Amino acid sequence: MKKDWLDKKLEEKLKGFDLPLDLEAAWDSLEQNRKKDDKKKFLLSSISIVLVFAFLGIFFHQGYKEEGIASNAIELNFNSAELDKPKLAEKMPNERLIESGVGGDHSSSSSSSSSSSSSSSSSSSKPALRTTTELPVGSQSLIEVKNIERNKNLITSKFPVGHTISFETKKLRKRTEEQNRLPLILKQNNTEQKSQISNRIKTLPLQELAFAERQKELPLEKISEANARPQKNKKGITLSTLYGVANMNKKNQNLEEAAFKFIDEKEEAYDVLGTKLEYSHFLNNQFYIRAGLSYQLWSDRIQSQQSNPINVFEEDYPIEIREYNNGFRDTITQDLWIEKIEIATFDIWNKTHYVGLPISIGYQWDTKSKFGFDINGGINTNLLVKAEIHYLLADNNLESIKQEEFNSLLFQLEAGISTFYNFNQSLRLDLGIRSIFDINNRKTEEASFNSQYSSYNISLGLTKIF
Amino acid sequence: MNIDQNILSKCLKGEKCAEKALFSAFASKVYTICSRYSANGMEAKDLLQECFIIIFKKLYQFDENKGELGAWIHKICVRTILNVLKKQNRYSHVVYMENLKDVPVTESDLFEIQETELIAAIQQLPNGYREVINLFIYENWSHKEIGEHLGIAEATSRSQLNRAKAALKIILLKSKKKLYEKRLA
C-alpha cells in the first residue's frame, strides 16, 4: 500500500521538526535514572555473587564434614565371641589388631604396640579394636560409631599418657534409616556392654589413637552403599501455605456499554492466599506423586478504574463558523465523531473461594547437606465455594456479579520450585516459588466478561515423612 | 548534528561531559519521536530516558561508515520504544471504533495545523492506531512488517491504518474548530 497525499502531508509536516525540551531537567532525570539502574545492577550482582558463594560454601563445607567424619569414624567391635584374639586373627589374617590396655600407661602402650604388629602371635582376652569396614552388614556385634574429637596434638610424642579422651556419638550423614536403627537397637540391648566399653575406651592408649588416626582413608562410602536401599514406599504429609499476586486477563464478551469496551484488558494486584494439605508417595529417592486438598482465596485490592476516552458518533452536531470576509456568524450542523471522555469510575471488590483437589508429580534433589531442591507440577481441580464481586459505579449504584455467572469448576495448572531443609529424617521445611495458571475461564459465557488468572506466589510448607 | 569522533570516543569511555553533549544534540529529536508514540508528555519523557540509556549502552555498535549518527539514533529509538511498549503489553493492537466515518480533510486544513497540534492529535489516538500510523507514515514500514511486529495480519494492519487516519482526521478537525474558536475569542 503506497502512501496517499494525506500520509505524505503528515510526514512532511513533522519532517525536521523538534519539540522543545528542557534539556537540563531531562539530563538530570536521566542521570538519576542511570544511577538507580547502576545501583540495581550492583545490588543484583552482589546478591547473585553472595548466593553463588553461599551455595558453594554449603557444598564444600558439607564435603569437608563428610570427609572429616569418615576419617574420624572408628567402629569398635567388642563382640565377646571375637574377643579371643587368635581366633580373630585366624578369621581375619589381614586385619590389623591392636590390644587395648585398660588404663594403660606409656610403657604398657608401647609394649602393646609392638605386639600389635605381631598380633596373631600374642594371646590375650583383651578386647580388640578394629575397623568394621569388612564387617558383614547387620552383624550382631556391638557397633558404636564414635567420633573422636580430633586434636592434632594427640598423636605427637608430647601427648600425655593415659589422657582421657572424650568421645561423642555422632550420626553419620547420608545414612539410611536401617543404618541408623541398628546401632540404636544394639545400644538399647547392650547397655551393660556399652558401659564397659565406655570405661575402656575412655583410657585408650596412645597406640590406639595413632591407629585411629591412621584410618583416615576409611572407605565409608562402601558401608553406605552396602547398606543403602532405595527409599521405596516412603510417604509424607505436607501442609503448605502460599501467598502471591495475580494478574487477570479479562475479555469483555457481553458488555454493551461503550465506556467499558476500552478498559485495559489486564488488571493487576489480585491477592492469592492458599493452603494445602497433601499426601506424598515416594516412588524412589527422587520422584514422588502428591495429592491432597487445597483451599484458595482470590481477592483483589479495592481499586478504582477509569474507562478510556471514547468516540461517539453525533448526528447534526452544531459547528459554529464565522466567515471573516463579511463578519457574520453562522452555525452549521454536521454528522461528526466526537471524542467524549466518559469516565466510568467504579470500585471493585472481589473475593472468590475455591476448594480443590491438587494432583502433582515432583522430583527432589537431596544435596549432601541438609538442604535440597524440589520441583513439582500438576493440575488442580477446583470447585467454587463462594464468589462475591461488587462494582460500585460512579453513581453509587452497586452492581453485584452473581455467583451463577461463575463456572463451578476451575482447572488450574500449577508448578513450583522450592528449596527445603531437613530438620531430621522425618521433618522438612520447604520454601519456594509457585505459579498458578487458570486453564479454563472462571465465568460462564453468559457473564459480561470472562477472566483467566495467573498468579505468582511464595510458598512455605512443612512435610512430615514417615 | 555536529558530534565529532572525539565526543563519541569520550562517550565510550563514559565521560559525563561528552555524554551530555551528545544528549543535548539529539534530545529534542528523540523527544519528538517519543512523543509521537506516547499518549502524553510524561510518557514521552520516560521513553526519552529509556532511549538514551540504550543509546549510551549500545554506542560502541555505531559504525560511522555504515551511516550517520542521527539515523542510527533514530533507529535505536524506534526499536527501544517498540520494545518498551511491547514489554508494557499495553497495546491491544487491533482497535475497533465502530462507524468511523471518513471526514473530508483538505490540504488547507492541514496547512493551518501546527506541528505541536499534529503531535497532540496523534497522542489522542488509541494506542493501537497510534502505533500503526507511526510505523507506516513516519517509519516507512510496510504493512507486512507492521503485521509481523504487531502479530496481526497484513490486511488487518491496512484496515487499522485506515481507521487510524479517519480518527486522526476527526481529531484534527476538532483542533481546527478550536482554532477558529480561539480566533473568534
Side-chain angles (χ1 to χ4, degrees):
Chain A
M1 185 174 161
K2 283 182 182 176
K3 285 183 179 177
D4 59 17
W5 72 268
L6 181 65
D7 300 335
K8 285 174 186 167
K9 281 283 165 198
L10 290 171
E11 192 183 3
E12 277 170 21
K13 195 88 188 167
L14 295 183
K15 216 167 209 175
F17 171 74
D18 291 342
L19 277 170
L21 177 71
D22 183 354
L23 288 173
E24 283 299 320
W27 172 254
D28 287 345
S29 57
L30 175 68
E31 277 299 285
Q32 277 178 358
N33 251 13
R34 287 172 81 188
K35 273 178 193 168
K36 269 185 199 169
D37 259 23
D38 287 347
K39 271 184 190 171
K40 210 186 273 178
K41 269 183 200 167
F42 175 75
L43 200 69
L44 278 175
S45 52
S46 308
I47 289 170
S48 47
I49 287 168
V50 167
L51 278 176
V52 166
F53 274 98
F55 274 110
L56 285 176
I58 288 168
F59 284 121
F60 277 110
H61 179 66
Q62 197 51 42
Y64 169 78
K65 267 174 120 181
E66 291 278 334
E67 206 175 285
I69 290 164
S71 63
N72 288 337
I74 313 164
E75 296 195 356
L76 300 172
N77 181 3
F78 283 92
N79 190 334
S80 56
E82 291 183 343
L83 290 182
D84 191 4
K85 203 170 164 187
K87 280 183 187 174
L88 191 64
E90 276 172 34
K91 273 186 184 175
M92 288 170 273
N94 296 327
E95 189 62 46
R96 299 177 69 181
L97 298 172
I98 302 170
E99 292 174 30
S100 61
V102 179
D105 57 17
H106 195 276
S107 58
S108 67
S109 314
S110 56
S111 66
S112 63
S113 173
S114 61
S115 67
S116 69
S117 56
S118 57
S119 56
S120 57
S121 61
S122 63
S123 64
S124 168
S125 61
K126 287 173 186 173
L129 174 68
R130 59 179 289 275
T131 67
T132 55
T133 48
E134 273 106 5
L135 268 180
V137 176
S139 161
Q140 289 304 305
S141 338
L142 176 65
I143 298 170
E144 270 288 345
V145 180
K146 299 285 177 185
N147 177 30
I148 298 173
E149 283 182 355
R150 291 179 68 190
N151 181 341
K152 284 182 181 172
N153 295 327
L154 283 177
I155 54 167
T156 61
S157 55
K158 287 177 184 173
F159 178 68
V161 176
H163 181 81
T164 303
I165 306 151
S166 65
F167 284 79
E168 65 168 308
T169 305
K170 184 146 187 170
K171 280 180 189 171
L172 293 175
R173 295 198 192 285
K174 284 189 76 175
R175 293 170 62 147
T176 61
E177 284 175 25
E178 202 156 317
Q179 270 179 295
N180 275 335
R181 214 179 296 133
L182 184 61
L184 208 71
I185 296 163
L186 289 168
K187 265 187 223 169
Q188 285 167 356
N189 295 341
N190 298 278
T191 45
E192 247 184 72
Q193 275 181 319
K194 189 191 163 194
S195 61
Q196 283 172 14
I197 293 155
S198 301
N199 290 335
R200 285 169 189 275
I201 59 178
K202 268 180 186 169
T203 51
L204 284 175
L206 187 62
Q207 287 74 16
E208 290 179 9
L209 286 171
F211 174 79
E213 283 296 317
R214 281 197 297 273
Q215 305 309 307
K216 284 182 180 175
E217 304 306 322
L218 271 182
L220 185 68
E221 289 74 13
K222 281 187 183 174
I223 306 170
S224 306
E225 281 168 23
N227 292 330
R229 286 173 195 167
Q231 297 183 345
K232 276 185 181 174
N233 301 323
K234 201 167 75 169
K235 297 164 186 72
I237 284 184
T238 305
L239 179 67
S240 61
T241 179
L242 63 85
Y243 170 75
V245 287
N247 291 328
M248 178 173 83
N249 286 316
K250 189 160 76 176
K251 190 183 165 193
N252 296 325
Q253 46 186 16
N254 294 318
L255 275 175
E256 286 180 4
E257 296 92 334
F260 286 86
K261 287 196 172 175
F262 301 107
I263 292 169
D264 282 349
E265 291 195 340
K266 206 157 196 179
E267 291 175 13
E268 290 185 4
Y270 275 71
D271 293 313
V272 188
L273 200 65
T275 184
K276 270 187 195 174
L277 186 65
E278 288 172 300
Y279 169 81
S280 308
H281 181 85
F282 286 82
L283 304 170
N284 56 32
N285 282 342
Q286 278 87 36
F287 287 98
Y288 62 85
I289 51 173
R290 191 175 270 180
L293 198 67
S294 74
Y295 165 76
Q296 290 173 10
L297 167 64
W298 298 72
S299 139
D300 69 348
R301 295 161 192 175
I302 291 175
Q303 55 187 293
S304 293
Q305 294 193 349
Q306 285 189 341
S307 69
N308 285 343
I310 54 164
N311 285 15
V312 180
F313 187 71
E314 293 275 350
E315 284 183 359
D316 298 331
Y317 189 80
I319 300 173
E320 198 175 67
I321 288 179
R322 181 167 181 160
E323 291 289 341
Y324 290 100
N325 290 338
N326 45 29
F328 73 90
R329 291 169 67 177
D330 195 9
T331 303
I332 61 161
T333 55
Q334 197 172 351
D335 295 348
L336 270 184
W337 273 93
I338 301 297
E339 187 184 57
K340 281 192 176 177
I341 305 174
E342 282 188 2
I343 300 172
T345 308
F346 48 90
D347 290 335
I348 302 175
W349 64 98
N350 167 4
K351 274 187 172 60
T352 40
H353 307 255
Y354 286 95
V355 169
L357 296 168
I359 298 170
S360 61
I361 55 166
Y363 176 87
Q364 66 171 33
W365 176 44
D366 256 315
T367 60
K368 284 180 179 178
S369 66
K370 286 192 170 186
F371 288 97
F373 298 97
D374 186 300
I375 183 162
N376 68 56
I379 287 177
N380 193 355
T381 308
N382 289 284
L383 193 71
L384 178 73
V385 179
K386 196 179 175 188
E388 309 163 72
I389 295 187
H390 302 289
Y391 290 84
L392 184 64
L393 299 174
D395 54 4
N396 285 331
N397 283 330
L398 189 71
E399 185 177 312
S400 297
I401 305 279
K402 293 169 188 168
Q403 191 159 323
E404 293 80 63
E405 290 188 3
F406 280 83
N407 284 319
S408 51
L409 272 178
L410 171 68
F411 297 98
Q412 291 173 319
L413 209 59
E414 288 192 27
I417 185 163
S418 64
T419 177
F420 60 80
Y421 177 79
N422 285 313
F423 289 109
N424 52 42
Q425 290 280 333
S426 62
L427 196 65
R428 90 179 204 196
L429 183 75
D430 284 72
L431 179 67
I433 48 172
R434 192 156 193 84
S435 296
I436 303 173
F437 302 98
D438 286 1
I439 297 173
N440 63 321
N441 279 312
R442 294 201 176 197
K443 294 201 185 114
T444 61
E445 286 178 0
E446 285 76 40
S448 50
F449 60 85
N450 239 323
S451 57
Q452 272 180 294
Y453 290 69
S454 50
S455 75
Y456 304 93
N457 314 285
I458 295 171
S459 67
L460 185 71
L462 201 62
T463 303
K464 171 83 182 162
I465 298 166
F466 51 89
Chain B
M1 301 288 166
N2 292 326
I3 293 292
D4 57 20
Q5 193 59 41
N6 188 29
I7 289 179
L8 284 182
S9 55
K10 280 182 179 173
C11 281
L12 288 172
K13 286 175 192 168
E15 286 185 24
K16 292 287 171 203
C17 290
E19 283 182 349
K20 194 173 178 182
L22 185 73
F23 178 82
S24 305
F26 288 100
S28 298
K29 188 182 168 70
V30 173
Y31 181 60
T32 311
I33 300 169
C34 296
S35 299
R36 278 198 277 112
Y37 282 91
S38 51
N40 51 55
M42 284 295 285
E43 212 177 285
K45 278 175 185 166
D46 286 344
L47 285 175
L48 172 80
Q49 291 187 5
E50 288 288 335
C51 287
F52 269 98
I53 286 170
I54 299 292
I55 287 167
F56 289 134
K57 205 184 272 179
K58 294 195 171 178
L59 198 60
Y60 72 94
Q61 290 179 355
F62 169 65
D63 184 357
E64 59 182 350
N65 299 322
K66 287 183 181 172
E68 285 182 4
L69 181 63
W72 182 81
I73 285 178
H74 185 104
K75 207 173 162 185
I76 292 283
C77 285
V78 173
R79 271 191 207 168
T80 308
I81 291 166
L82 293 177
N83 282 340
V84 169
L85 299 180
K86 214 171 192 178
K87 263 187 205 170
Q88 287 176 351
N89 199 14
R90 199 188 56 182
Y91 290 169
S92 56
H93 296 294
V94 183
V95 183
Y96 296 104
M97 290 172 82
E98 290 155 19
N99 303 325
L100 262 181
K101 277 189 178 175
D102 199 9
V103 182
V105 176
T106 59
E107 279 194 47
S108 61
D109 292 332
L110 282 176
F111 183 75
E112 287 176 21
I113 286 166
Q114 302 289 311
E115 289 87 347
T116 47
E117 285 170 339
L118 177 56
I119 289 176
I122 293 171
Q123 287 184 339
Q124 285 178 47
L125 285 171
N127 299 327
Y129 284 173
R130 194 187 310 129
E131 200 167 356
V132 173
I133 278 209
N134 270 308
L135 293 176
F136 185 81
I137 296 176
Y138 296 103
E139 313 305 342
N140 299 317
W141 283 29
S142 68
H143 283 295
K144 197 181 171 188
E145 287 169 322
I146 295 170
E148 277 170 9
H149 170 72
L150 301 181
I152 55 176
E154 203 177 320
T156 315
S157 169
R158 271 199 196 95
S159 64
Q160 285 285 293
L161 179 70
N162 285 333
R163 283 166 177 272
K165 284 199 299 195
L168 186 66
K169 280 179 200 173
I170 292 166
I171 296 165
L172 288 174
L173 208 72
K174 272 173 63 187
S175 299
K176 195 185 165 190
K177 191 189 151 198
K178 279 180 190 167
L179 196 74
Y180 273 127
E181 283 171 359
K182 267 187 189 175
R183 282 175 186 172
L184 284 172

